[in-house]
Every structure is written in structure tokens, then in C-alpha cells.
């Protein structure tokens, strides 16, 4: 009850921020990010767009990968309209395609740019029938998790090099959701059964599995980074409930009524982007890794997301999936 009251009131937690804090407010402590390069997936709308806008406003070079280059160019124009001196690059990336992820990583690395921040923000909620990616993976899982797993794997070397060369700690932010707690079964069995059409497809369950994978990925990656001695951290965030394009697609009387009733719980997009920006650049998070954050404060993930053995199991399964899609092995972390 107390937690709900604090959320509704926006009362600050230990970080000094709360549910009503905005992305601009949480980055006020770091007004000049001119030495940073950030890749932000899903930055053509919603939370990702606000994250890109605020980081660019603070001076960071922002790379916007997108399936629709036109949408990314439009976002670049909007940022430049507000911040004429902003450095914004646009590159093509379809996260549901592992070949596209590899192409993007090769192209980015060929530019010779440093990489300080990787914000894995893009999210998809599939509607209607089961859809598989070109690699034969359930589409929501492919886009929300597996594409980001491979992207992180391919770019980590550049992040480690950048941190060593500049003395500036790299940060990876995985955007998950509290919906990850809605799934408590065996994710591997679920993916196998749903892909083979042995069970009915449930879009909400598929989304929950992908968000659970984001949290488990964060846990295992943090442990591996520590073992490597890399000056790179990774944290996972729940942005909060916000009506973005992800759920606006589900128009209808019931959906609209639900959002009216829940209006007091909904965040604005600037508020929803706050935890991502906090995790990406706030000084308080220096050296902090493997955490799950909500409302700019540390929170507890679901029991299913807290298992190191399940995180390691997911990692191996992910390695197997990406290896099956390529004749050449990807660089190991």
C-alpha cells in the first residue's frame, strides 16, 4: 500500500527521484555529455525517442538504428530542430533479423567511432497470429531479446576498448518491463511449444517471456563483465506504464476504457524515459551493475528473473540460436 502511494505521489526514493521524475530532470546532474557516443534502439518514437532527444540535448552523439530509415531521419530532423548542433547518425537495423544485426554491427564498427552507451530499448508486441522471424524464432522474442543479445555481443568489444582508452566507464541499459513477472513457467519449453504450434499463441505471454529474457540477460552479462574485468556495466529498467505506440496499436473500446481508468497510473513519455536515462548517465550508477531499476531506484525482479542458473541457461540457448543462423561464429564474450 505504501509503495502504491509513493508511486501515485511521485515521492522520491533513495536516488532522489521517483515516478514523476522526467528524463531531463535526472540528467541535470550531467549537463555536458559531449564526449559520449550512444546507440539507442527503438528511438524513432515513444520512450526511445525521448531518450535520444534528451541525451542529444545534453551533447551526446546519438546513433539511431531503425528498420525504417525514413522514420529515423524524421527523428533526427526533430532533434536537430531543437538542438541544431546535435550529432545524430542514422543506420539501418532490423532487430528481428540476425543478419541485419550483424550488418549493422559491422557498419558501425567500420565508422571507427567510440561507444560508451548501448541502450537496448526497442520493443514489439505482436498482434494476432503467431509470426516467426526469418531465423525461425517467435517474432516478439526475436525482436525484443535475441536481436539485442547479438547486438550487445557484437558491440561489446568496442565498448570495452572505448572504456580502456578513455577511462570512462561504459554502460549498457536493457529496457524490460514489470510484465516479465507475468510468466513463471519454463521459457525454453514455452518457446519450443509455441514455435511448433503445439499450444495456442498468446501475445501477452510471448511479450512477458521476451521481457523476462531481458532481465536474465542483464544478470548473466553483469557476471561475465565482472569476470572479464571490463569497465562496462549493465542494468535493466522497467520504464513504467505509459501509452506508447506499443500499446496504442491495441485500439478499441475496452482498451480505451482501461486507459481512462488507469490514467492516474500512466506516466508521460518524459517520465517513462527517466529511468533509462538515469541508468545510462547518472553519476550515482557508476560501478553499479546487474540491477533491476524502476522509477529511478533499485527494485526487485520476479523470482524467475533472479536465478543465475536460469540466466546461464538462457545465455547458452541464445548462443545456440545465433550460431544456427550463421556459418561464421560470432565473437564470444
Amino acid at each position: 500500500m505504501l509503495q502504491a502511494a509513493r508511486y501515485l505521489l511521485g515521492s522520491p526514493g533513495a536516488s532522489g527521484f521517483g515516478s514523476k521524475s522526467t528524463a531531463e530532470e535526472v540528467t541535470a546532474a550531467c549537463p555536458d555529455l559531449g564526449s559520449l557516443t550512444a546507440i539507442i534502439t527503438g528511438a524513432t518514437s515513444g520512450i526511445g525517442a525521448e531518450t535520444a532527444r534528451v541525451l542529444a540535448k545534453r551533447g551526446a552523439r546519438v546513433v539511431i538504428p531503425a528498420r525504417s530509415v525514413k522514420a529515423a531521419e524524421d527523428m533526427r530532423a526533430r532533434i536537430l530542430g531543437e538542438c541544431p548542433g546535435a550529432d545524430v547518425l542514422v543506420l539501418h537495423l532490423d532487430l528481428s533479423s540476425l543478419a541485419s544485426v550483424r550488418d549493422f554491427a559491422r557498419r558501425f564498427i567500420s565508422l571507427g567511432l567510440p561507444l560508451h552507451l548501448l541502450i537496448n530499448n526497442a520493443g514489439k508486441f505482436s498482434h494476432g497470429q503467431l509470426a516467426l522471424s526469418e531465423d525461425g524464432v517467435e517474432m516478439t522474442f526475436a525482436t525484443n531479446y535475441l536481436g539485442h543479445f547479438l547486438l550487445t555481443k557484437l558491440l561489446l568489444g568496442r565498448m570495452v576498448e572505448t572504456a580502456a582508452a578513455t577511462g570512462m566507464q561504459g554502460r549498457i541499459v536493457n529496457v524490460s518491463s514489470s510484465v516479465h513477472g507475468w510468466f513463471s513457467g519454463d521459457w525454453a519449453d514455452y518457446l519450443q511449444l509455441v514455435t511448433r504450434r503445439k499450444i495456442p499463441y498468446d501475445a501477452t505471454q510471448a511479450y512477458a517471456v521476451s521481457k523476462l529474457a531481458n532481465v536474465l540477460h542483464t544478470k548473466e552479462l553483469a557476471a561475465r563483465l565482472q569476470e572479464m574485468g571490463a569497465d562496462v556495466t549493465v542494468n535493466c529498467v522497467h520504464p513504467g506504464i505509459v501509452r506508447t505506440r506499443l500499446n496504442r496499436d491495441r485500439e478499441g473500446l475496452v482498451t480505451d476504457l482501461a486507459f481512462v481508468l488507469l490514467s492516474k497510473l500512466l506516466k508521460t513519455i518524459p517520465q517513462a524515459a527517466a529511468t533509462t536515462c538515469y541508468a545510462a548517465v547518472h553519476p550515482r550508477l557508476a560501478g553499479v551493475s546487474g540491477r533491476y531499476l524502476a522509477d529511478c531506484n533499485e527494485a526487485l525482479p520476479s523470482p524467475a528473473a533472479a536465478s543465475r542458473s536460469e540466466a546461464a541457461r538462457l545465455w547458452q540457448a541464445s548462443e545456440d540460436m545465433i550460431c544456427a543462423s550463421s556459418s561464421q561464429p560470432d565473437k564470444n564474450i
Side-chain angles (χ1 to χ4, degrees):
M1 189 69 180
L2 178 60
Q3 186 175 3
R6 290 183 63 180
Y7 176 86
L8 290 171
L9 294 171
S11 302
S15 69
F17 302 108
S19 63
K20 303 301 183 185
S21 300
T22 67
E24 291 208 22
E25 289 170 351
V26 303
T27 57
C30 34
D32 184 8
L33 303 178
S35 58
L36 301 184
T37 297
I39 292 177
I40 307 168
T41 68
T44 58
S45 66
I47 296 167
E50 178 67 1
T51 301
R53 183 191 73 81
V54 171
L55 295 188
K57 181 178 180 179
R58 300 298 188 203
R61 176 193 289 122
V62 171
V63 180
I64 301 178
R67 185 173 56 179
S68 169
V69 172
K70 182 183 183 304
E73 290 287 2
D74 288 345
M75 185 61 211
R76 179 177 182 273
R78 289 198 294 274
I79 292 173
L80 292 176
E82 180 180 347
C83 312
D87 188 353
V88 183
L89 284 71
V90 169
L91 294 173
H92 177 263
L93 170 63
D94 180 353
L95 280 163
S96 73
S97 163
L98 297 178
S100 178
V101 174
R102 291 185 175 97
D103 287 344
F104 169 83
R106 280 192 291 267
R107 187 171 179 191
F108 175 79
I109 290 171
S110 73
L111 296 175
L113 296 174
L115 182 58
H116 306 85
L117 306 175
L118 174 59
I119 300 176
N120 293 321
N121 165 81
K124 175 184 179 62
F125 190 108
S126 295
H127 305 291
Q129 301 300 312
L130 168 69
L132 300 181
S133 72
E134 64 183 42
D135 303 294
V137 180
E138 189 278 316
M139 188 63 80
T140 304
F141 188 83
T143 304
N144 295 0
Y145 167 68
L146 192 61
H148 283 129
F149 174 85
L150 179 58
L151 181 66
T152 303
K153 181 182 179 70
L154 296 176
L155 295 178
L156 186 62
R158 178 55 52 89
M159 295 193 74
V160 172
E161 292 169 3
T162 299
T166 64
M168 300 175 64
Q169 189 173 74
R171 297 191 189 184
I172 300 167
V173 181
N174 289 331
V175 179
S176 182
S177 167
S178 62
V179 173
H180 81 270
W182 295 9
F183 184 85
S184 58
D186 187 297
W187 52 266
D189 285 349
Y190 173 82
L191 288 172
Q192 184 177 67
L193 290 171
V194 77
T195 301
R196 295 181 178 181
R197 303 179 191 275
K198 299 293 186 181
I199 57 174
Y201 181 70
D202 183 316
T204 301
Q205 283 287 282
Y207 183 74
V209 168
S210 73
K211 296 290 102 179
L212 172 61
N214 292 147
V215 187
L216 290 172
H217 177 216
T218 302
K219 188 174 188 66
E220 181 66 14
L221 179 56
R224 290 177 179 245
L225 288 169
Q226 184 176 28
E227 290 167 4
M228 289 169 59
D231 193 18
V232 177
T233 64
V234 57
N235 290 293
C236 192
V237 304
H238 164 54
I241 307 170
V242 58
R243 198 170 195 191
T244 65
R245 192 173 68 184
L246 192 69
N247 46 46
R248 281 202 305 269
D249 291 340
R250 299 179 68 83
E251 296 291 357
L253 179 60
V254 174
T255 301
D256 290 341
L257 178 59
F259 273 100
V260 169
L261 295 174
L262 291 171
S263 60
K264 295 299 183 183
L265 299 177
L266 294 180
K267 289 187 176 185
T268 65
I269 286 176
Q271 290 168 348
T275 307
T276 300
C277 289
Y278 176 74
V281 300
H282 199 279
R284 189 182 181 98
L285 268 291
V288 175
S289 194
R291 308 297 173 81
Y292 177 75
L293 306 173
D295 300 330
C296 301
N297 287 276
E298 188 172 347
L300 292 176
S302 72
S307 169
R308 175 70 195 278
S309 62
E310 280 303 296
R313 180 176 171 234
L314 174 65
W315 188 286
Q316 186 56 58
S318 303
E319 291 280 11
D320 293 343
M321 283 186 248
I322 64 174
C323 284
S325 70
S326 176
S327 58
Q328 298 293 327
D330 297 300
K331 185 177 179 181
N332 288 324
I333 296 177

